[in-house]
Amino acid sequence: MIAADAGTIGEPAVNISIFGAFVLITLVITFKASRNNKSAADFYAAGRNISGTQNGLAIAGDYLSAASFLGIAGAIAVYGYDGFLYSIGFLVAWLVALLLVAELLRNTARFTMADVLAFRMRQGPVRTAAAISTLVVSLFYLLAQMAGAGGLVTLLLGVSGEAAQALVVVVVGALMIFYVLVGGMRGTTYVQVIKATLLIAGAFVMTVWVLGKYGFNLSSLIGGAIDNGGQAVAEPGAQYGLTNVTKLDFISLGLALVLGTAGLPHVLMRFYTVPTAKDARRSVVVAIWLIGIFYIFSLVIGYGAGALVGREEILAAPGAVNAAAPLLAFELGGTALLGIISGVAFATILAVVAGLTITASASFAHDIYASVIKKGNAAPGSEVKVARIAAIVIGAVAIGLGILALQAGLNIAFLVALAFAVAASANLPTILYTLFWKNFTTQGALWSIYGGLIACVTLIIFSPVVSGAPVNPATGKSTSLLQDVDFSWFPLNNPGLVSIPLSFFLGWLGTKLSKERPDVGKYAELEVRSLTGIGAEKAVQH
């Protein structure tokens, strides 16, 4: 299976060729899309001309990231039932997004989440807080994607050594920045649509192939996984149920996953690319169906990897848990299927990081530069120019953090769960209070955003995620970002259980202690606009 000399699978030349073909196709799409980027609405929101079905595919593409494909499949292969928790959490979260935020945000915002939060508040401080929160969430998410890209390419090209792995992450980051600079949101959307179609088709092929080997009997497949990985893969709580601390971690992770989606800036920004609120609803429904079907496939792929590849071999491969899906593809279809599936996974990562980067750069340019620094008087074209410069800076930071995460060998589904925790802590309480509580004030918004953000990030820094985690026997390394140091005092790996309720409480407390009177008139306008679409941004005609 794994070549002993290089620590790679398949033929590196074939893998590079398929990678190259995917990159070339997406670059052509990006160049074609760039011809229509004439205004800020084109660059940020694709002119609001994306249909509900197309946007649903693009949302699924944004959401089915490296974590969904590589991380979840690997977690199921190694931990079985407990790994499937990520799939359940990620899917159920869409109900929160559909019922509470999708249509309302489409009707009230222009380009970013801060447009809604600042609608009836003092513009400067709220936009600044929302932009900072957006940048932090995006960087956490980018961290996971870059680590996934580095691990995947390391596995397929047989590169070894930290310098070679770092170079791979740099190349991925450079491609990501290029997509954003040239294609904007329109190019990113088209790449997402194609990538989502390919990813779901590839997962379908692997699912049918795996089930075919076990007579299309799921029980036989799980039996094979148990034979190869032990009884633990079929037992709930085997990964989490050892102590009271790990039980709390289990609850904290579930809370972050379910509440995080409705606060993810790059998902929220997708609602602004459609022409009507009806299309916003339709896009979420399409996305739910596609994502749900994909996660059923991921269950079969994960157990298939556990049964056909084996737990020990997965953990021993470069990329560890994240290598399960590529290893299964090689086991099933040899070099050809491996190359195709890995090419799709690579396209997945490129598309997702491009979407994250454009969201973060748009938030900086629109909320901080145009609205706070220039007070709404930015010169024509300057906002998009600043967004492009911000994309380069954000990409460079993501590259550096991605190299750290890759070398620590962290599961990327786990890293994404941290991004969800930050989004649920800093963004969701403020969004819900803004939309549904007429007495909410600027002070409440600032306390909620900054309080949730600072609490969440602080608890992550002082948790076993960053330092002090025990050494993994399979790799001989700690699973912490920083090796050989220990300054952790917070016992949970995911801080959602503490930081999310704290953010809701701080938003309430800040409002109650505020001396300013809430703008009830503005709230009435926001309510009418959010529910009816009167005054919403229209599509740009070309």
Side-chain angles (χ1 to χ4, degrees), residues 80-104:
Y81 187 98
D82 288 354
F84 196 51
L85 170 72
Y86 287 100
S87 300
I88 300 297
F90 286 148
L91 181 59
V92 171
W94 275 106
L95 296 177
V96 180
L98 172 64
L99 298 174
L100 293 180
V101 301
E103 181 181 353
L104 305 181

Side-chain angles (χ1 to χ4, degrees), residues 458-486:
T458 300
L459 293 178
I460 289 172
I461 290 171
F462 292 103
S463 75
V465 174
V466 174
S467 73
V471 173
N472 184 341
T475 61
K477 289 168 48 173
S478 167
T479 53
S480 298
L481 268 176
L482 302 178
Q483 305 289 311
D484 304 322
V485 291
D486 182 2

Side-chain angles (χ1 to χ4, degrees), residues 226-459:
I226 292 172
D227 292 340
N228 226 344
Q231 185 63 36
V233 299
E235 293 178 353
Q239 183 185 0
Y240 297 98
L242 303 178
T243 66
N244 288 331
V245 169
T246 47
K247 288 176 184 174
L248 285 175
D249 220 353
F250 179 87
I251 297 169
S252 189
L253 173 63
L255 194 64
L257 296 182
V258 170
L259 297 180
T261 296
L264 287 174
H266 71 290
V267 170
L268 299 178
M269 196 168 174
R270 284 243 152 255
F271 300 139
Y272 315 143
T273 64
V274 291
T276 66
K278 183 180 178 182
D279 285 306
R281 287 197 307 275
R282 178 174 176 77
S283 62
V284 177
V285 172
V286 169
I288 287 175
W289 275 104
L290 294 173
I291 293 164
I293 290 166
F294 179 84
Y295 283 146
I296 292 171
F297 294 162
S298 74
L299 180 66
V300 176
I301 291 169
Y303 275 124
L308 298 172
V309 179
R311 188 175 190 271
E312 299 305 318
E313 194 150 3
I314 291 169
L315 290 173
V321 173
N322 305 319
L327 288 169
L328 176 62
F330 185 67
E331 180 73 25
L332 293 172
T335 302
L337 184 62
L338 167 72
I340 292 168
I341 293 300
S342 301
V344 170
F346 192 62
T348 294
I349 291 165
L350 284 176
V352 172
V353 294
L356 286 162
T357 306
I358 195 169
T359 300
S361 61
S363 183
F364 178 82
H366 180 62
D367 296 324
I368 294 180
Y369 172 75
S371 300
V372 177
I373 298 175
K374 293 294 183 180
K375 312 232 180 274
N377 298 313
S382 65
E383 192 176 322
V384 172
K385 185 179 178 183
V386 169
R388 289 185 162 125
I389 294 169
I392 296 171
V393 175
I394 291 159
V397 174
I399 288 168
L401 293 174
I403 291 169
L404 266 179
L406 173 63
Q407 292 172 355
L410 292 174
N411 182 341
I412 48 184
F414 168 72
L415 285 171
V416 164
L418 294 181
F420 274 63
V422 179
S425 302
N427 298 341
L428 183 63
T430 318
I431 291 171
L432 295 182
Y433 278 145
T434 300
L435 291 172
F436 299 110
W437 187 20
K438 69 179 180 181
N439 292 326
F440 195 44
T441 64
T442 299
Q443 180 171 298
L446 296 177
W447 282 30
S448 180
I449 294 173
Y450 284 128
L453 183 65
I454 292 168
C456 190
V457 172
T458 300
L459 293 178

Side-chain angles (χ1 to χ4, degrees), residues 29-67:
I29 294 166
T30 304
F31 268 116
K32 288 194 171 182
S34 69
R35 295 174 186 171
N36 292 321
N37 283 339
K38 299 185 177 85
S39 67
D42 289 324
F43 187 78
Y44 295 146
R48 305 185 205 280
N49 283 318
I50 305 298
S51 73
T53 303
Q54 285 177 328
N55 198 47
L57 262 168
I59 287 175
D62 244 336
Y63 206 65
L64 298 177
S65 62

